[in-house]
C-alpha cells in the first residue's frame, strides 16, 4: 500500500519518540515486609506461602512454610497468631485467618505424607540438642536440613516438651504432634528419650559434638506461698497438666479454683472442667484486659463454663474453701489490697503462676550467665560459651511454642554458620508494608472464614479437639483473602493502568519491568498497585 | 444511445454506470433530481453493491464520502450553493487526504439574499480547496464528465468536482448520448485505492503536520494538480477511443482562428457565446469563443497559447469577488502576463440572470469599438438601483472621493487600476 | 450489575489481571498479546486518562472483532498526541478527518464495508467530549438515527483540553475552565447547563448505550465487547480525567474516575433500545467533597473557606443520580 507523504504514517512509528526523558520521578518495584511476616515469632514468610495456597498449590505453600517452621499442623492449632493481630486486612474487614490456613496445610501435608527436603550431602558436622520441645525440635530440623548430623537428648519419655505436657489434647491432638515429630525423625534426626542431662559440663567435656543447643524449657511451676490449712489441696498447673499424659488424673473434687491469669491457667481450668469439675473458677488479681491469657483462650474457657473472679487474691486456703481478698488497681495498674474479703468454695487450688527454668545442669559450666532465672544469649543465640547455644523458654522472651520454634530456627542458622566458620546475617530489614501503602479498593469484599468449633456440651466432657480445620474450599477462600502486602502478586494492575504502555509483563512468576525509555513517571502504577509494591523515586537529574 | 433526458437524470445514469459503492447526499436545489434518481436506483436494486446514505447535512454528506473513500469505496455526493459552504471544511479535508471522491456541484448562487438560481459563486468559494474542478457546457458534457471524473480522481487520488449550471443544465431536457455499461466498464476500471483503511495492512491516515513538512505537503498537492493536466490529455484520448466522442480537452474553442476578440466562459453560457460569436462574425468582427472546461488545475499554458494572438479577452463570469472583481478574469489576466490582450471582466448571469445572446453580442460590440470597461456588470438594471445608489452616493459624497451612479458603475473600484 | 465482579479471588476481577482466574476470565489488558492499539511514544501528558481509555476500549474492541476493525477519530488531544508527523502511535487502521465529523466518517466507512460485503470488519468512531456533545453532535445524532453500524466512543474529560481547557457542553457545574473562570459572584461553570449525551443517545433508541470510567477496566471491556455483539449504532461514554484540565495529580487519574462513580456524580449504567438495563452500584459511597477537593478546577469551592452551598448543590446532583439510576441498590427509579 502506498503511504502518501506526511498525511499517512506507518503504524507504531512513535516508538522513535522516547518519552522517558519527561520523567522527574521513576517507579521502582519493591518487596516490602508484610506485617504478618514482621510479627511472626517463627519468622515465617506468611505472605510467601499464602501466595502458593491462593492458587491451590498447597504443596508449594507447605514447602514454603516448612522453610521456616517444621510444625505447621501443631502451629495451626496452638499458635496465638500475632501475624493475624498485625494483618492489614484487619483494618479493612477482618484479618486473614492465617492460622487456619496453616492448620489446613499442616493437616494436608500429614495426610498426603509430604516430606521436607534435606541437604543433598551431609556436612559431617554434629550437633547436640538438649530438649525435644518446640525449640529443640525446630533447631534439629533446620540443622538437619542444612546437612548436619543431629542428636536430641530428651529427658521425658516422649518428645514434644510443653506441646505434649503443657497443652491439653483438646487443643492439640497427640496424633498430630506425634506425626510432625516423626517427620523430623524421618529426616534423620536422632531423638534419645529418657535421657536427662544432669551435668552439661560433662557432656561438653566428651567433645562428641561440634555444637550444642540447649532448649530445656521452663518446666517447674512457680509455687507462690499461699497460707494454707493442713487439709487444703494445692497443686501446680504444670504438674497437673503433665499428669494428663498417661497418668491417672489427679482427684480435684467438684469445685476447683485456679490461681493465675495466663494461658496455662485457662488450660488448667478447661482441663478441670473436662475432668468433671462442676465449678472451675479462675482467680486473678487484675482485670480481664490485663490478663496475659489470650482472648480466644478466655472466650473458649467462658463458653465451656469456666468462671472468672477478677481483682482477687488467695489469702488463705483451707479444705473446701478459699479466702479471697478483693483488690483494686492503682493509677499504675498495680493491684493493691482493699482489706475486703470473701470466701470461695473450692475443693482444690491449682496454681498457675508461671514457670521457672531448671538451671541445675549448668552448675559446672563456666561462662553461661543466668539472670532472673533465665540464660542470657547474644543475638546469635549463643551463650557465653563458644559453641553452646540456647533458646526457647529458658532464655528471655515470650514463652510460646512459636517463639520457641523461632529460636530454634535462629539458633540453627547461627550454629550452621558456627560449624562452617562463617557468620550468619539476617540481612537488611525491608521497609514495612503499612496499611497506608495499600490501595484496598481492589480487594474483594470477603469476611473471614470461621473455623467450626466443637459443640460446647461435648467440649465440657471430652478432650476432643475443639477447633476444627477448614476444608479445602474454605482454606482456599481464606488464603485468597491475603492482601499480599508489599509484595507483587502479579495482578497486572501496573501493566494495565500505565497510560504510556511502559510496563513490560514478563510472564507468569516473572513479574514486570518498567520501560524507562518511555515511562513518563505519572505514578498511576504506584497509586493503583493494590499491595504497595511500587515506589516512586525522584530522578537524579 | 441517444435519449431525450433531463440533465439530472442523465448525470444520475452516468453516475450509476460508474458503479459507485457509496452515495450520500443531503437535499438542496438544484441538485435534488440527481440524488433522488440515484436513491431509487439503489433502493430498487438497479444499482447493486452500493449504499445510499440519507445524511443529516452536507457536512455529513461529504464526511460520509470521506469515510467511505478512505475505506476503499468509490464514493459520490452532490450538492450546491449553501450546501457546499456548509461542507467546506470537509471539502478541503477530502483534498488534503487525497481521496478520489466525485461530487456534482449544481452551481447556484450563495445567499444572502437567498437565491436558488444559477451562478458560479459556490464553485469559486472552493477553488483553492485542492479539488479538480470541471465545468460542463452541455448535458452531454455533464454526463460524460462524471464518468471521466471517477477515472481522473482515482488515477490521481484527488477529488473531482463536476460543475453543472443549476436549473439551466440540471433541469433542462435535451438529447444526450448515454453510453453502455460495457463502454463505461472498459473505460473505468474498479477502484484500486492508493491507500485505504485495511485491517490487514493498517496505516494512520490524517496526521497532524507542522511547519517542518506542511509546505512540502502543499508543494506535492500543487505538483499533483500539474500532473492532472497531462493526465487529462491522456484520458481524453482513451475516452474518445471508448466512447467515440472526443471531449473538449481543457477547453472548447470556437472560431478562434484570426480572432482579435475572444469571449470566454465556463458552463452553459458557452453555447450562448458561440451564438453571439456567429452574430458578430456576420458583422465582420473577428471574434471567437473559448469554453473553459478545466478550471482547476488551470491549464495556463494552453490558455496562453490560445489567447496569445488576440487583443481583447472578454470573460463572461458568473461570480464576483466584492472588493476585487471576477475570479476567472483575474486568473486569465495573471496567466497572460503581458499587456496584450486586455482582459475584460464581464460579470454576468448572477443568481440566475439569463446571459442572452444579445447582451453578449453587445458587449463584444463595445469591446470591438474599444468602449468596454475593464469590469462590466452585464445587463445591470439601473432603474432598480436608483434609490440605493443615490443613498450610496450620499454616503460617498461625505467621503473623500464621491461620485455619481454612472461613475461608480463604470470605474468599479480598484479594478480600474488594471 | 453490568459487569458482575468475580468475587473471592483475592482481588476478584477488580484488578487488571488475576493469575488465579482462567485465561478466558482475564481482562484484555492483562494479556501480553493485547493489541496496544495505542502504543509507546505518544505525546499525551503524564497520567492522561484519555490515552488510557482509548487503549482500554480499542484493545477490547480489537479482541471482540478478532482484529477486524477500523477507527475514525475526531480532532482533539487524542488525535494530536498520537499522530504528529512523522510518527503515529496507532497500530490499527485509523483515520482522522475533522473535529465534528468522526461519526459521519464512521458512517461512511461502515457504508463502504457494507457495499463491499465486508461487514466482518467493524467500525469505531471516537471523539472527546467537544467532538461528541458539541461540534460533532449533528453527525452523531444522524448516525444514531440511521442506526448505522458504528460504535461511537466518547472520551469525556469535561472540557476542550486540546485548545487549553475551555468549557464544553460536558463541563460540570462549578468547574473552572478558561472560559468559565473562577471569578465573579458565580465562579466556574453555571449550574443548569450542559447536556447528558448518554441519555440523549438513549432517546434515539439505538441498540446499546453505556457509560464507563477508566477506573473499572473490566466493566469497560465488558461494555465494549457487548457493544460489539450488536449491529447498528452504539454509544459508549467513558469518563477520562485530565490532569491538566482538572488540575489533578497525574497519579490520581484512576482514583478520580473511581470517585466520580462512587460519589454518584458519574452514573455508570447500560441501556438497550432506550431502556436502562443495569447500573453499576456504588461500592463505597463517598461525599462529593472528597472528589472535588483534589481537583484545582474546584479549588474556589474550598478557598478561602468552603463554599458549602455550592458543594451542597453538587451533592444534590449526585443524590439525584443515585435516586434516578438506583446507584445504591441497582434499582432505577
Amino acid at each position: 500500500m502506498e503511504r502518501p507523504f506526511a498525511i499517512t504514517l506507518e503504524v507504531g512509528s512513535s516508538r522513535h519518540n522516547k518519552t522517558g526523558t519527561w520523567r522527574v520521578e521513576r517507579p521502582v518495584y519493591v518487596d516490602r515486609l508484610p506485617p504478618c511476616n514482621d510479627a511472626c515469632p517463627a519468622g515465617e514468610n506468611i505472605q510467601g506461602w499464602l501466595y502458593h495456597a491462593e492458587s491451590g498449590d498447597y504443596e508449594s505453600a507447605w514447602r514454603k512454610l516448612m522453610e521456616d517452621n517444621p510444625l505447621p499442623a501443631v502451629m495451626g492449632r496452638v499458635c496465638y497468631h500475632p501475624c493475624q493481630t498485625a494483618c492489614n486486612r484487619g483494618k479493612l474487614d477482618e484479618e486473614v485467618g492465617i492460622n487456619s490456613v496453616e492448620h489446613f496445610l499442616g493437616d494436608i501435608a500429614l495426610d498426603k505424607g509430604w516430606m521436607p527436603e534435606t541437604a543433598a550431602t551431609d556436612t559431617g558436622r554434629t550437633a547436640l540438642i538438649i530438649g525435644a520441645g518446640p525449640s529443640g525440635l525446630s533447631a534439629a530440623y533446620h540443622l538437619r536440613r542444612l546437612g548436619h548430623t543431629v542428636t536430641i537428648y530428651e529427658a521425658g519419655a516422649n518428645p514434644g516438651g510443653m506441646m505434649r505436657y503443657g497443652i491439653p489434647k483438646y487443643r492439640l491432638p497427640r496424633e498430630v504432634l506425634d506425626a510432625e515429630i516423626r517427620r523430623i525423625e524421618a529426616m534423620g534426626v536422632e531423638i534419645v528419650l529418657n535421657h536427662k542431662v544432669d551435668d552439661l559440663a560433662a557432656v561438653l567435656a566428651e567433645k562428641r559434638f561440634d555444637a550444642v543447643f540447649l532448649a530445656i524449657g521452663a518446666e517447674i511451676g512457680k509455687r507462690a506461698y499461699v497460707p494454707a490449712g493442713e487439709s487444703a489441696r494445692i497443686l501446680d498447673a504444670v504438674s497437673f497438666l503433665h499428669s494428663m499424659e498417661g497418668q491417672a488424673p489427679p482427684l480435684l473434687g467438684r469445685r476447683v479454683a485456679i490461681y493465675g491469669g495466663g494461658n496455662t491457667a485457662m488450660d488448667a481450668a478447661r482441663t478441670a472442667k473436662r475432668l468433671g469439675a462442676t465449678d472451675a473458677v479462675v482467680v486473678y488479681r487484675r482485670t480481664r484486659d490485663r490478663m496475659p491469657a489470650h482472648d480466644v483462650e478466655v472466650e473458649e474457657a467462658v463458653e465451656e463454663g469456666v468462671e472468672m473472679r477478677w481483682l482477687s487474691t488467695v489469702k488463705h486456703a483451707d479444705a473446701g474453701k478459699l479466702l479471697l481478698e478483693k483488690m483494686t488497681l492503682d493509677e499504675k495498674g498495680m493491684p493493691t489490697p482493699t482489706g475486703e474479703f470473701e470466701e470461695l468454695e473450692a475443693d482444690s487450688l491449682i496454681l498457675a503462676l508461671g514457670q521457672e527454668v531448671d538451671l541445675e545442669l549448668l552448675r559446672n559450666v563456666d561462662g553461661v550467665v543466668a539472670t532472673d532465672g533465665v540464660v542470657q544469649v547474644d543475638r546469635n543465640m549463643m551463650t557465653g560459651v563458644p559453641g553452646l547455644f540456647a533458646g526457647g523458654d529458658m532464655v528471655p522472651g515470650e514463652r510460646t511454642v512459636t517463639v520457641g520454634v523461632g529460636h530454634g530456627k535462629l539458633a540453627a542458622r547461627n550454629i550452621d554458620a558456627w560449624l562452617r566458620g562463617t557468620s550468619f546475617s539476617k540481612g537488611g530489614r525491608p521497609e514495612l508494608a503499612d496499611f497506608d501503602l495499600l490501595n484496598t479498593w481492589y480487594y474483594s469484599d470477603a469476611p473471614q472464614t470461621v473455623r467450626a468449633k466443637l459443640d460446647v456440651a461435648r467440649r465440657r466432657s471430652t478432650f476432643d479437639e475443639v477447633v476444627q480445620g477448614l476444608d479445602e474450599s474454605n482454606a482456599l477462600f481464606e488464603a485468597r483473602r491475603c492482601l499480599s502486602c508489599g509484595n507483587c502478586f502479579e495482578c497486572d494492575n501496573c501493566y494495565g493502568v500505565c497510560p504510556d504502555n511502559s510496563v513490560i509483563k514478563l510472564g507468569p512468576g516473572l513479574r514486570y519491568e518498567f520501560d524507562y525509555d518511555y515511562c513518563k513517571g505519572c505514578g498511576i502504577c504506584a497509586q493503583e498497585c493494590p499491595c504497595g509494591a511500587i515506589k516512586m523515586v525522584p530522578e537524579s537529574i | 444511445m441517444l435519449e431525450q433526458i433531463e440533465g439530472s437524470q442523465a448525470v444520475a445514469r452516468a453516475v450509476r454506470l460508474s458503479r459507485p459503492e457509496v452515495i450520500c447526499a443531503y437535499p438542496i436545489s438544484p441538485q435534488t433530481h440527481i440524488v433522488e434518481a440515484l436513491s431509487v436506483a439503489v433502493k430498487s436494486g438497479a444499482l447493486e453493491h452500493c449504499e445510499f446514505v440519507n445524511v443529516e447535512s452536507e457536512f455529513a454528506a461529504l464526511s460520509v464520502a470521506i469515510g467511505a473513500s478512505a475505506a476503499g469505496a468509490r464514493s459520490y455526493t452532490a450538492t450546491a450553493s449553501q450546501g457546499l459552504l456548509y461542507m467546506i471544511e470537509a471539502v478541503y479535508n477530502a483534498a488534503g487526504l487525497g481521496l478520489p471522491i466525485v461530487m456534482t456541484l449544481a452551481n447556484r448562487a450563495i445567499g444572502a439574499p437567498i437565491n436558488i438560481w444559477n451562478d458560479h459563486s459556490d464553485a469559486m468559494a472552493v477553488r483553492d480547496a485542492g479539488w479538480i474542478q470541471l465545468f460542463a457546457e452541455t448535458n452531454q458534457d455533464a454526463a460524460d464528465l462524471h464518468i471521466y471524473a471517477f477515472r481522473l480522481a482515482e488515477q490521481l487520488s484527488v477529488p473531482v468536482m463536476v460543475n453543472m449550471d443549476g436549473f439551466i443544465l440540471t433541469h433542462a431536457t435535451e438529447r444526450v448520448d448515454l453510453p453502455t455499461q460495457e463502454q463505461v466498464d472498459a473505460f473505468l476500471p474498479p477502484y484500486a485505492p492508493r491507500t485505504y483503511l485495511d485491517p490487514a495492512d493498517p496505516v494512520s491516515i490524517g496526521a497532524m503536520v507542522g511547519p517542518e513538512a506542511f509546505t512540502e505537503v502543499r508543494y506535492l498537492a500543487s505538483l499533483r494538480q500539474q500532473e492532472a493536466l497531462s493526465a487529462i490529455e491522456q484520458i481524453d484520448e482513451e475516452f474518445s477511443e471508448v466512447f467515440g466522442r472526443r471531449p473538449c480537452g481543457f477547453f472548447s474553442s470556437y472560431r478562434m482562428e484570426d480572432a482579435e476578440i475572444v469571449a470566454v466562459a465556463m458552463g452553459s453560457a458557452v453555447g450562448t457565446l458561440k451564438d453571439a460569436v456567429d452574430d458578430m462574425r456576420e458583422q465582420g468582427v473577428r471574434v471567437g469563443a473559448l469554453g473553459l472546461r478545466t478550471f482547476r488545475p488551470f491549464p495556463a499554458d494552453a490558455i496562453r497559447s490560445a489567447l496569445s494572438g488576440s487583443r481583447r479577452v472578454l470573460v463572461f463570469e458568473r461570480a464576483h469577488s466584492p472588493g476585487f472583481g471576477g475570479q476567472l478574469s483575474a486568473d486569465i489576466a495573471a496567466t497572460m502576463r503581458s499587456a496584450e490582450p486586455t482582459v475584460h471582466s464581464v460579470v454576468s448571469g448572477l443568481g440566475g440572470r439569463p446571459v442572452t445572446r444579445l447582451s453578449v453580442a453587445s458587449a463584444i460590440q463595445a469591446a470591438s469599438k474599444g468602449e468596454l470597461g475593464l469590469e462590466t456588470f452585464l445587463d445591470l438594471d439601473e432603474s432598480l438601483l436608483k434609490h440605493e445608489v443615490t443613498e450610496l452616493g450620499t454616503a460617498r459624497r461625505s467621503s473623500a472621493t464621491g461620485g455619481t451612479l454612472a461613475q461608480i458603475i463604470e470605474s468599479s473600484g480598484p479594478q480600474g487600476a488594471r | 450489575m453490568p459487569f458482575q465482579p468475580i468475587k473471592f479471588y483475592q482481588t476478584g476481577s477488580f484488578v487488571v489481571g488475576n493469575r488465579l482466574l482462567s485465561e478466558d476470565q482475564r481482562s484484555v489488558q492483562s494479556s501480553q498479546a493485547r493489541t496496544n492499539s495505542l502504543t509507546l511514544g505518544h505525546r499525551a501528558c503524564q497520567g492522561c486518562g484519555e490515552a488510557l481509555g482509548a487503549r482500554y476500549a480499542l484493545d477490547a474492541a480489537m479482541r471482540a472483532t478478532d482484529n477486524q476493525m477500523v477507527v475514525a477519530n475526531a480532532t482533539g488531544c487524542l488525535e494530536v498526541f498520537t499522530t504528529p508527523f512523522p510518527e503515529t502511535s496507532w497500530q490499527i487502521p485509523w483515520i482522522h478527518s475533522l473535529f465534528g465529523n468522526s461519526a459521519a466518517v464512521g458512517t461512511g466507512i461502515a457504508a463502504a464495508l457494507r457495499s463491499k460485503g465486508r461487514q466482518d470488519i467493524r467500525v469505531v468512531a471516537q471523539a472527546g467530549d467537544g467532538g461528541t456533545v458539541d461540534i460533532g453532535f449533528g453527525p452523531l445524532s444522524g448516525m444514531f438515527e440511521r442506526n448505522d453500524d458504528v460504535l461511537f466512543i466518547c472520551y469525556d474529560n469535561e472540557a476542550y483540553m486540546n485548545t487549553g481547557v475551555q468549557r464544553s457542553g460536558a463541563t460540570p457545574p462549578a468547574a473552572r475552565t478558561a472560559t468559565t473562570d473562577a471569578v465573579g459572584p458565580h465562579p466556574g461553570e453555571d449550574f443548569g447547563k450542559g447536556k447528558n449525551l448518554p441519555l440523549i443517545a438513549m432517546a434515539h433508541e439505538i441498540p446499546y448505550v453505556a457509560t464507563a470510567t477508566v477506573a473499572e477496566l473490566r466493566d469497560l471491556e465488558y461494555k465494549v465487547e457487548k457493544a460489539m455483539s450488536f449491529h447498528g449504532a452504539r454509544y459508549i461514554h467513558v469518563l477520562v480525567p485530565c490532569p491538566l484540565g482538572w488540575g489533578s495529580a497525574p497519579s490520581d487519574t484512576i482514583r478520580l474516575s473511581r470517585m466520580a462513580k462512587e460519589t454518584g456524580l458519574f452514573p455508570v449504567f447500560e441501556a438497550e433500545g432506550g431502556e436502562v438495563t443495569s447500573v453499576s452500584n456504588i461500592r463505597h459511597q463517598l461525599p462529593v467533597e472528597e472528589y472535588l477537593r483534589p481537583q484545582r478546577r474546584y479549588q474556589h469551592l474550598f478557598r478561602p473557606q468552603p463554599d458549602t452551598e455550592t458543594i451542597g448543590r453538587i451533592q444534590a446532583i449526585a443524590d439525584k443520580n443515585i435516586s434516578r439510576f438506583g446507584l445504591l441498590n441497582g434499582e432505577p427509579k
Side-chain angles (χ1 to χ4, degrees), chain A residues 439-461:
Chain A
N439 190 333
T440 56
W441 164 266
Y442 289 104
Y443 297 102
S444 291
D445 307 310
Q448 195 184 59
T449 320
V450 179
R451 275 180 280 191
K453 284 184 185 173
L454 196 64
D455 183 73
V456 173
R458 283 178 62 77
R459 279 158 60 182
R460 286 175 182 168
S461 56

Side-chain angles (χ1 to χ4, degrees), chain B residues 21-22 49 51 53-56 59 63-64 67-68 70-73 89-90 93 197-199 202-208 212-213, chain C residues 67 70 79-80 83-85 88 90 92-98 100-101 104-105 108-109 111-112 114-116 121 138-139 142 146:
Chain B
E21 294 167 288
V22 175
H49 308 298
E51 290 293 308
V53 187
N54 280 297
V55 290
E56 73 288 346
F59 177 62
S63 297
V64 168
E89 191 189 11
N93 188 251
L197 296 163
D198 179 9
V203 286
S204 296
I205 301 176
M208 181 181 72
E212 72 282 4
Chain C
N67 303 332
V70 295
E79 165 260 326
V80 169
T83 53
F85 169 83
T88 174
W90 298 103
I92 51 177
W94 179 94
I95 184 170
H96 159 245
S97 173
L98 297 167
N101 73 352
V105 172
I109 297 168
R114 193 176 159 87
S115 73
K116 289 171 179 294
I121 302 177
R146 290 183 302 267

Side-chain angles (χ1 to χ4, degrees), chain A residues 495-512:
Chain A
Y495 178 61
V497 300
C498 176
D500 301 307
N501 308 29
S502 300
V503 175
I504 302 163
K505 180 173 174 175
L506 299 173
L510 303 174
R511 297 187 173 181
Y512 313 87

Side-chain angles (χ1 to χ4, degrees), chain A residues 167-375:
Chain A
I167 296 173
K169 287 177 187 164
Y170 59 83
R171 282 179 57 205
L172 177 57
R174 296 305 181 248
E175 58 274 21
V176 172
L177 176 64
D178 291 341
E180 291 210 314
I181 294 172
R182 268 200 304 277
R183 199 166 56 205
I184 295 170
E185 289 181 285
M187 290 167 70
V189 171
E190 184 194 8
I191 303 178
V192 184
L193 298 172
N194 301 308
H195 190 296
K196 184 168 165 69
V197 175
D198 288 319
D199 184 357
L200 182 61
V203 172
L204 294 178
E206 290 177 31
K207 295 191 186 298
R208 276 185 53 206
F209 300 97
D210 299 316
V212 175
F213 179 55
L214 204 49
I216 59 168
E219 296 213 313
I220 306 171
K222 273 188 192 163
R223 289 208 68 131
Y225 174 70
V226 176
E230 271 177 37
S231 53
R233 177 154 173 72
I234 299 178
L235 57 168
D236 77 86
V238 179
S239 312
F240 167 59
L241 293 171
H242 195 288
S243 69
M244 295 304 297
E245 281 305 301
Q247 298 169 23
L251 297 170
L252 298 172
R254 285 195 307 111
R255 299 162 304 183
V256 182
I258 301 93
Y259 193 21
N263 291 321
T264 305
M266 298 305 133
D267 287 342
R270 294 172 70 185
T271 299
K273 220 37 194 164
R274 282 168 172 76
L275 289 174
T278 53
D279 298 345
V281 183
V282 170
V283 177
Y284 180 55
R285 59 195 182 130
R286 300 181 219 223
T287 49
R288 168 153 183 184
D289 54 315
R290 288 167 190 278
M291 220 172 182
H294 288 94
D295 278 349
V296 62
E297 289 275 357
V298 180
E299 278 162 25
E300 287 180 7
V302 170
E303 280 166 14
E304 289 165 14
V306 172
E307 292 165 52
M308 301 287 165
R309 201 59 73 90
W310 314 114
L311 291 168
S312 303
T313 52
V314 179
K315 292 305 287 182
H316 195 271
D318 259 318
K321 67 181 176 200
L322 300 175
L323 183 66
L324 307 183
E325 180 171 7
K326 302 288 284 177
M327 305 296 279
T328 184
L329 295 183
D330 66 15
E331 60 274 20
K332 286 181 191 161
M334 291 298 289
T336 47
T338 60
E340 281 179 55
F341 296 89
E342 61 182 349
E343 280 194 354
L344 175 69
E345 294 195 344
D347 300 319
S348 55
L349 173 64
I350 300 174
L351 301 178
L353 300 169
Q355 286 127 257
E356 287 171 339
V357 184
D358 183 355
L359 296 169
E360 184 62 18
L361 81 168
L362 291 168
R363 65 188 181 281
N364 296 324
V365 179
D366 288 335
V368 176
V369 180
T371 311
D372 297 332
V374 287
V375 169

